[in-house]
Amino acid sequence: MPFLRFLSLIVLAWLPLFATAQRKPATQPTPAKGQRIELLPGTNELIGGTFNGVEIRKLIGNVSFRQGTTLLYCDSAYQYTDKNALEAFSNVRIIQNDTITITGDRATYDGDTRKARMIGNVTMRDPRMTLTTKLLDYDLNNNLAYYSTGGHIVDPENTLDSQYGYYNTTSKIFSFKRNVKVLTKDNTIDTDTLQYNTISKVAYFFGPTHLTDKQNQTLYAENGVHNTITGKSVFQKNAKVETPNYLLTGDKLIYDQITKYGVATGHVSMTSKKDNVVIRGDVGRYWRLLGRVKVYGAPVMRNISGKDTLYLAADTLISQEGKAPLNNAGVIYAFPKTKIFRTDLQGRCDSLTYNRLDSIIYLNKRPILWNNKNQLTADSMEIRQRKGKVDQMRLYANSFIIGQDTLLNFNQVKGRRMIAYFQNNSIKKVDVLGNAESLYYALEGDTAVSGMNKALSATMVLRFAESKLQTISFLTNPDASFIPPHELKPEDEKLKDFSWRPTERPTRRAVLGRHFALPVKAKPKARPKSKTKTKAAPKTSSKAKAKSSVKPATGTQTPKTAAPKPPVKK
């Protein structure tokens, strides 16, 4: 008896091990089967049997199935009884929840995964849109339709085409990829990646996108949003708006296609295509109907004409297009704190108007200009250009020109009005009209002062050669005198209202600012020291050292000639 009890205890101890050994290896859980596909009454003919080793039912004529709230109709079908699946042929129609209808030539449907594939002349409809394609996959569990053979979508407002597309029938949002084209009542949108909400009619871009309207205006960006109902767009990443005459770019662009008004921010650049004008700044506002662009935030204008480039800076710059039907070059307005820079001309004024049609620049509120060593001031001025070069400067009211000679003496001319004529970017002649006064130093060989010519006249004409005064002609009531050097007094050296202001002269860097910043030159890399020893150079005589220390001349020098004294004509 004790032995039997011991044996029973051994068996009980080993039972769990035997049970573990007999247990089958773990397997992946089998997917849950969907609701059984139900064949509805009304089929004309049913043929059951095994075909190619698979048990199916052939259904012919008025075939209809149901699975939950999903209905399927077709002319004929194969129903796989052991797979809960079917194939449908001819006039296939799937209806889900009485809201979504898919039609096509042929379909396959898996009742367990609830996935359908419609093939041939596929059309998908819901209350908001109609989709046509060649092949459509539809996941009824996730309410997601997908095509990859090209699709065409029509809703009451727009049409859309793309190579690939997803449609969420719950959120009513389409996702398109590759060769995407959207046609609205006002625009054509071409992009690579787009998302479209069929309820709000809002399109979202995630790649290079062109939006073109009927007036041949194009908006471009690589990321953004466009409301196809309100016409409002928010574009980012390389955003720009382009017309036949203008190109406006920025980091971000907000544009209203109904009012034709846009705002660009961040690295703004406006280009006028007709006359090679570029304006850059921080913020740009664009009125398409007015043909106007306003740029501010340290804006700078660049106008390239031939070999010369004019830069213009101010707190605000406005570009106004020429008016139809001539559609001529427009006008630039700059204000306030305006600065000008060109290699041969620099200046300042409070406000400026640049008429690009006749190439005239109007400077207002006591402007000041510098040309080479000459300073020009007046209450207002005009700069007239010809072929991209300064042709005339017209000075109105309180006109004053100051120039320095080689000895840094100040030659001066003042009058009520002046007209300065230029040739090869240098003053050739000056007409002084009304209350003319002049003060010019006579030099001997550009090294010594031989005296001073001082004159008064109602009108005066000054002629120059190589930036040096040659003659002065007094036309009405002249009063001229020559003062020797020993008789010169400090009060004789300056005309009334003399003001020399070289510190105000704009530099290239100050005018170009950060928007046209000059490139930073890279520092040359230091050469690594050589580890090899070099032989000592042979000793040379002191005479040889003296000869070797003389550097060759870098250019030729022309001998200076004495400048003739300007003759006085009465």
Side-chain angles (χ1 to χ4, degrees):
M1 190 67 182
F3 176 77
L4 293 175
R5 183 178 296 175
F6 174 77
L7 184 61
S8 62
L9 291 174
I10 292 296
V11 172
L12 291 173
W14 281 91
L15 278 176
L17 297 178
F18 283 115
T20 303
Q22 296 295 323
R23 188 178 302 159
K24 293 182 179 180
T27 58
Q28 295 293 333
T30 57
K33 291 187 177 181
Q35 185 179 353
R36 192 69 184 173
I37 300 174
E38 177 187 358
L39 176 63
L40 299 179
T43 301
N44 294 341
E45 184 178 357
L46 187 154
I47 303 173
T50 301
F51 299 90
N52 297 325
V54 179
E55 186 178 349
I56 65 172
R57 291 194 294 181
K58 281 187 177 181
L59 308 167
I60 303 172
N62 298 318
V63 183
S64 58
F65 298 93
R66 180 199 302 274
Q67 188 187 44
T69 58
T70 303
L71 297 171
L72 187 149
Y73 303 92
C74 60
D75 291 345
S76 62
Y78 292 162
Q79 184 178 18
Y80 300 89
T81 56
D82 58 342
K83 293 183 180 180
N84 195 26
L86 60 85
E87 288 186 61
F89 307 95
S90 183
N91 296 316
V92 182
R93 180 162 47 103
I94 298 175
I95 301 175
Q96 185 185 23
N97 298 326
D98 294 327
T99 58
I100 296 173
T101 301
I102 306 174
T103 62
D105 296 336
R106 184 164 62 91
T108 60
Y109 180 68
D110 189 321
D112 293 337
T113 62
R114 287 176 54 79
K115 291 182 178 180
R117 168 169 284 190
M118 191 73 75
I119 304 169
N121 299 313
V122 181
T123 300
M124 181 179 187
R125 293 184 177 88
D126 71 7
R128 301 185 180 277
M129 68 89 211
T130 299
L131 162 66
T132 56
T133 183
K134 296 179 181 178
L135 186 150
L136 182 72
D137 290 298
Y138 185 41
D139 186 337
L140 283 76
N141 284 329
N142 297 313
N143 299 315
L144 182 65
Y146 169 74
Y147 63 84
S148 59
T149 56
H152 179 73
I153 296 93
V154 178
D155 68 15
E157 287 79 23
N158 312 298
T159 64
L160 301 93
D161 292 272
S162 69
Q163 182 65 34
Y164 301 96
Y166 293 87
Y167 181 50
N168 190 312
T169 60
T170 301
S171 64
K172 307 300 180 184
I173 293 177
F174 263 107
S175 296
F176 301 101
K177 183 71 177 175
R178 191 177 295 178
N179 301 327
V180 184
K181 182 182 286 290
V182 183
L183 297 178
T184 73
K185 61 180 180 179
D186 299 315
N187 308 294
T188 299
I189 302 173
D190 295 282
T191 184
D192 180 69
T193 305
L194 179 143
Q195 192 176 83
Y196 178 70
N197 190 315
T198 60
I199 299 175
S200 63
K201 311 300 181 184
V202 174
Y204 303 85
F205 312 112
F206 303 98
T209 302
H210 293 85
L211 190 153
T212 306
D213 65 13
K214 295 179 180 179
Q215 289 76 40
N216 201 25
Q217 173 180 272
T218 301
L219 281 80
Y220 172 87
E222 295 171 16
N223 186 281
V225 180
H226 174 67
N227 191 315
T228 62
I229 300 299
T230 65
K232 294 182 179 179
S233 303
V234 180
F235 283 177
Q236 300 183 59
K237 194 175 181 182
N238 299 323
K240 64 182 179 181
V241 55
E242 185 172 7
T243 71
N245 298 327
Y246 273 108
L247 173 63
L248 178 65
T249 67
D251 294 340
K252 182 179 180 180
L253 175 64
I254 301 174
Y255 189 75
D256 188 330
Q257 287 197 307
I258 295 178
T259 61
K260 308 297 183 185
Y261 170 72
V263 179
T265 56
H267 299 94
V268 173
S269 177
M270 187 285 296
T271 301
S272 177
K273 300 178 182 178
K274 291 185 294 184
D275 39 16
N276 204 8
V277 169
V278 177
I279 299 177
R280 295 179 183 174
D282 294 332
V283 181
R285 300 186 181 276
Y286 174 56
W287 293 266
R288 172 73 189 275
L289 298 178
L290 299 176
R292 181 180 301 165
V293 176
K294 180 179 180 182
V295 183
Y296 50 95
V300 182
M301 183 206 79
R302 181 184 68 190
N303 182 203
I304 300 175
S305 178
K307 296 181 180 180
D308 293 317
T309 302
L310 173 66
Y311 291 95
L312 176 65
D315 287 356
T316 301
L317 295 178
I318 295 177
S319 176
Q320 179 67 55
E321 286 186 19
K323 294 183 179 180
L326 297 178
N327 202 23
N328 294 318
V331 180
I332 297 288
Y333 301 94
F335 58 91
K337 301 178 182 178
T338 305
K339 298 187 289 290
I340 299 172
F341 184 90
R342 211 166 80 170
T343 53
D344 61 326
L345 183 69
Q346 302 83 44
R348 290 177 180 270
C349 63
D350 179 74
S351 60
L352 175 150
T353 301
Y354 178 17
N355 190 325
R356 291 174 289 169
L357 177 61
D358 52 21
S359 298
I360 298 178
I361 301 176
Y362 301 89
L363 299 91
N364 305 308
K365 294 189 178 180
R366 302 193 66 82
I368 178 169
L369 293 174
W370 290 268
N371 169 253
N372 299 325
K373 294 185 178 181
N374 301 303
Q375 173 186 290
L376 299 84
T377 57
D379 288 355
S380 61
M381 294 186 193
E382 290 180 13
I383 301 175
R384 301 194 172 204
Q385 303 177 88
R386 179 179 293 178
K387 296 181 179 180
K389 295 183 178 181
V390 176
D391 182 58
Q392 292 182 24
M393 286 189 190
R394 300 196 174 196
L395 287 65
Y396 299 103
N398 298 309
S399 306
F400 208 126
I401 298 178
I402 304 173
Q404 277 191 309
D405 61 19
T406 55
L407 299 181
L408 304 183
N409 298 306
F410 294 108
N411 297 318
Q412 304 155 52
V413 182
K414 64 178 297 187
R416 187 181 301 119
R417 293 192 302 117
M418 292 188 196
I419 302 176
Y421 300 89
F422 286 75
Q423 187 176 26
N424 297 325
N425 298 326
S426 297
I427 294 178
K428 187 69 175 177
K429 186 180 80 164
V430 176
D431 292 340
V432 186
L433 309 174
N435 300 332
E437 296 182 58
S438 67
L439 186 158
Y440 269 82
Y441 287 86
L443 304 182
E444 293 182 357
D446 290 344
T447 59
V449 176
S450 62
M452 175 195 291
N453 288 298
K454 202 169 185 179
L456 297 172
S457 179
T459 57
M460 190 181 297
V461 178
L462 296 87
R463 289 180 171 83
F464 299 79
E466 298 180 357
S467 299
K468 295 178 182 179
L469 179 65
Q470 296 297 304
T471 62
I472 303 177
S473 300
F474 308 101
L475 304 181
T476 309
N477 302 323
D479 182 7
S481 62
F482 180 79
I483 305 174
H486 63 277
E487 295 181 10
L488 285 175
K489 299 177 182 179
E491 58 268 23
D492 296 328
E493 297 178 354
K494 295 179 182 178
L495 297 178
K496 186 181 178 181
D497 299 325
F498 173 91
S499 179
W500 180 246
R501 297 148 62 183
T503 58
E504 299 179 30
R505 191 170 190 167
T507 63
R508 177 189 293 270
R509 188 173 298 276
V511 176
L512 269 61
R514 64 179 183 273
H515 299 298
F516 285 98
L518 297 173
V520 179
K521 294 182 179 179
K523 294 182 179 179
K525 295 182 179 179
R527 294 181 178 179
K529 294 182 179 179
S530 177
K531 295 182 179 180
T532 59
K533 294 183 179 180
T534 58
K535 294 182 180 180
K539 295 182 180 180
T540 57
S541 64
S542 59
K543 291 183 179 180
K545 288 182 178 179
K547 289 182 180 179
S548 62
S549 63
V550 177
K551 297 180 179 179
T554 57
T556 60
Q557 294 182 350
T558 56
K560 296 182 179 179
T561 57
K565 296 179 184 179
V568 176
K569 295 182 180 180
K570 294 186 179 181

